[in-house]
Amino acid sequence: MDTSLKFLYLNEEDMINAGVKNMDKCILTMEDMFMLLHKEDYRMGGENANEHGIRVSFPKESDVEGMPIHKPDYRFMAMPAYLGGRFKMFGIKSYGSNPDNAQKGLPRSILMMSLMDATTGAPLAYMSANILSAMRTGATSGVGAKHLSVKNPKVVSIIGPGTMSKYTLYSFITAQPSIEVVRIKGRSKRGIDNFISYCKKNFPTIKEYIVCNDVQEVCKDADIVFYGTTNAAKYEENPTVKKEWLKKGALVIAASALLVDTEFLSDKDVKLISDNYKMYDGWGSGQPLPTQKNVSTLLGMGFYDAVTEGKIPREAITDMGEILTGEKSGRDSEEQIILYAVGGMPIEDVAWGYDCYMNAINNNIGTELKVWDKTEL
C-alpha cells in the first residue's frame, strides 16, 4: 500500500495559468455555491456553521513590547469551510491585512488557500489566493448583476475604486455587456486615476468615466451602484445611500461598509437580497444593537438590525440561493430598487479554489510537494 502523501503547490503565476481570472466560469461557480448554500450542503465555522472566519484581534494599547496595536483593516484571519455537491471539499483561507503594507510595496492583504480531503484531512493543494479571493468577491456581486439588474444596464457607479472594485466591475461587464459608463467616487485622486487606468487597459468596451465629488452625485443615473470602500476611521463617516439619490430600478450592491436607515429598508418599493442572512443573524445574536456599529458595518448587519428592531419582518429578506433555485423571484419590476448585501464567505473560496485546482491537475500546472514517503507516527 502506498502511504506517501503529496500536495500541489500553486503560486500566483500557476493560478493565472489554471484560469483563476476566468470571470465567466467564476460566476457560474458562485451560482453553484449559492444553490448548495440554500440546500444546506455546506459548513462554515462556529456552532451555527455560518461564521465568516476566526479573527485574531489586537489591543488598542499594550505594555507588551512588540505587540501589534489595533487599527482599521489590520487583522489576521483563518476562514474554514466545507462545501458539498460537486465539490465535496474542505478548505481554509488564511490572510493577514495591514494598511501599511503599501509602504513596503505589498498588497494590503496577503492571502493563501489550503484545500484538504474532506474525509481524511490530507492536504491536496496550497495556493496563492489574492486573485482567487478578489475574483470570488467580484463574481458574487456579478451574480447579483446577472440576476437582479434591469435589462441592458448602461451605467455603473463605483464607490471606493480599489482592488475589489476592479474585479467587481470585471464581473459586471461579464454579466451585463451592455454597460458602457462608469461613475466613480474615491478618496484620493491617485486611487481614482489608478482605477481608471486599469479599467481602460482591461475593459475596452467602457466608453466613458465620470469622476464625482460626493456619494449622492455618483449614485445619480446609475443602473448598478457598488460600494467597495474600506472601513472609515469613525463609524459615522462610513458611506450611506438614500432612496432619493437613486433612479427607479437601481440595483445597489454592497460588499463593504454601507449604512442605510431603516425607513429605506422598510420602503415597500425596495427589495432586500442577502448572500446568506444566517451569517449576519449568527454574528448579531447576543450582541448589543445596533450591530452595524458594534459588530460589522456590512449592509447585511443593517438588515439584521432592522429585523431585530421589528422594523421589517425576516420574510422581507430573500437569499440569493432562493432565487437561483427558483423558489423566490429576483427583480419583480423594472422600477423596483434592490439592495443586495454581500459579506464574503469561505465556501466561495473553496468553490473557486477547487475549480482552479482541478484545472491545474488536468493541465499539469503547479509543483508537487512531498509531505512524507511514510509517516514516522
Side-chain angles (χ1 to χ4, degrees):
M1 180 187 299
D2 182 9
T3 59
S4 64
L5 188 59
K6 300 174 183 178
F7 67 92
L8 190 66
Y9 173 67
L10 298 166
N11 61 33
E12 187 170 87
E13 184 179 355
D14 293 331
M15 291 294 287
I16 293 171
N17 291 335
V20 72
K21 287 187 172 183
N22 188 325
M23 187 60 78
D24 278 305
K25 290 186 177 179
C26 192
I27 289 174
L28 293 174
T29 297
M30 292 305 105
E31 290 176 334
D32 289 346
M33 177 276 305
F34 274 125
M35 288 187 280
L36 290 170
L37 171 65
H38 179 58
K39 294 174 182 177
E40 300 189 346
D41 193 1
Y42 75 98
R43 301 293 291 179
M44 293 189 286
E47 289 300 315
N48 68 354
N50 281 287
E51 286 290 344
H52 170 78
I54 302 169
R55 175 176 176 172
V56 174
S57 298
F58 293 101
K60 293 183 179 179
E61 55 184 40
S62 175
D63 295 329
V64 178
E65 184 178 355
M67 173 65 71
I69 300 302
H70 169 80
K71 55 187 169 183
D73 290 315
Y74 182 45
R75 57 185 178 270
F76 288 77
M77 291 193 72
M79 300 171 64
Y82 163 80
L83 188 62
R86 68 178 180 85
F87 303 98
K88 288 186 172 57
M89 186 66 54
F90 178 75
I92 302 174
K93 185 174 77 174
S94 59
Y95 74 90
S97 173
N98 189 335
D100 297 334
N101 280 356
Q103 301 170 15
K104 301 178 181 179
L106 297 171
R108 187 195 73 197
S109 298
I110 300 174
L111 307 96
M112 298 297 293
M113 183 72 192
S114 301
L115 294 178
M116 285 160 275
D117 185 286
T119 302
T120 66
L124 300 176
Y126 188 56
M127 60 187 70
S128 172
N130 274 51
I131 298 175
L132 181 150
S133 187
M135 283 289 296
R136 64 78 152 160
T137 300
T140 304
S141 294
V143 172
K146 180 177 178 179
H147 294 278
L148 303 176
S149 71
V150 295
K151 296 176 182 177
N152 301 314
K154 295 287 193 295
V155 182
V156 167
S157 289
I158 300 291
I159 297 97
T163 298
M164 182 162 56
S165 292
K166 292 174 183 176
Y167 282 84
T168 299
L169 183 58
Y170 179 19
S171 78
F172 290 165
I173 294 169
T174 302
Q176 298 288 354
S178 58
I179 293 169
E180 56 186 28
V181 177
V182 178
R183 300 171 66 86
I184 305 163
K185 168 64 177 73
R187 291 174 179 166
S188 71
K189 184 178 185 302
R190 179 181 178 184
I192 293 170
D193 290 344
N194 177 275
F195 181 80
I196 293 175
S197 176
Y198 176 90
C199 293
K200 285 183 175 179
K201 179 181 178 182
N202 290 279
F203 313 131
T205 58
I206 299 298
K207 297 179 181 178
E208 184 179 11
Y209 295 90
I210 301 171
V211 178
C212 301
N213 295 318
D214 56 50
V215 178
Q216 181 176 353
E217 180 187 356
V218 79
C219 290
K220 182 181 178 182
D221 299 325
D223 298 302
I224 303 173
V225 179
F226 177 72
Y227 283 78
T229 57
T230 55
N231 281 314
K234 296 181 179 179
Y235 172 77
E236 295 76 13
E237 295 175 354
N238 284 299
T240 188
V241 65
K242 298 182 182 297
K243 183 181 178 182
E244 56 265 30
W245 298 353
L246 304 169
K247 67 183 291 187
K248 290 182 178 179
L251 166 63
V252 178
I253 302 176
S256 60
L258 178 60
L259 312 181
V260 182
D261 62 53
T262 52
E263 288 75 15
F264 188 9
L265 296 179
S266 60
D267 191 298
K268 62 180 177 60
D269 297 324
V270 177
K271 188 163 189 175
L272 309 181
I273 310 293
S274 173
D275 53 352
N276 179 16
Y277 182 77
K278 289 181 180 179
M279 181 170 66
Y280 309 109
D281 185 57
W283 292 351
S285 180
Q287 299 295 324
L289 296 175
T291 60
Q292 258 204 316
K293 185 173 185 178
N294 295 296
V295 178
S296 168
T297 54
L298 288 170
L299 176 60
M301 295 310 303
F303 288 1
Y304 172 82
D305 287 343
V307 170
T308 305
E309 293 169 356
K311 301 296 179 62
I312 60 173
R314 166 64 183 91
E315 295 73 26
I317 301 167
T318 302
D319 275 357
M320 180 58 75
E322 296 177 290
I323 296 170
L324 295 176
T325 55
E327 294 183 23
K328 291 189 179 180
S329 64
R331 173 170 292 278
D332 299 315
S333 75
E334 287 294 283
E335 295 190 347
Q336 186 177 52
I337 291 175
I338 296 179
L339 302 183
Y340 174 36
V342 176
M345 298 178 286
I347 52 175
E348 299 163 10
D349 301 293
V350 172
W352 192 226
Y354 171 83
D355 279 354
C356 292
Y357 166 65
M358 293 306 298
N359 285 340
I361 291 290
N362 293 333
N363 292 282
N364 196 30
I365 297 168
T367 303
E368 191 175 68
L369 299 178
K370 181 176 70 174
V371 180
W372 62 61
D373 289 320
K374 183 179 179 181
T375 179
E376 291 291 325
L377 296 180

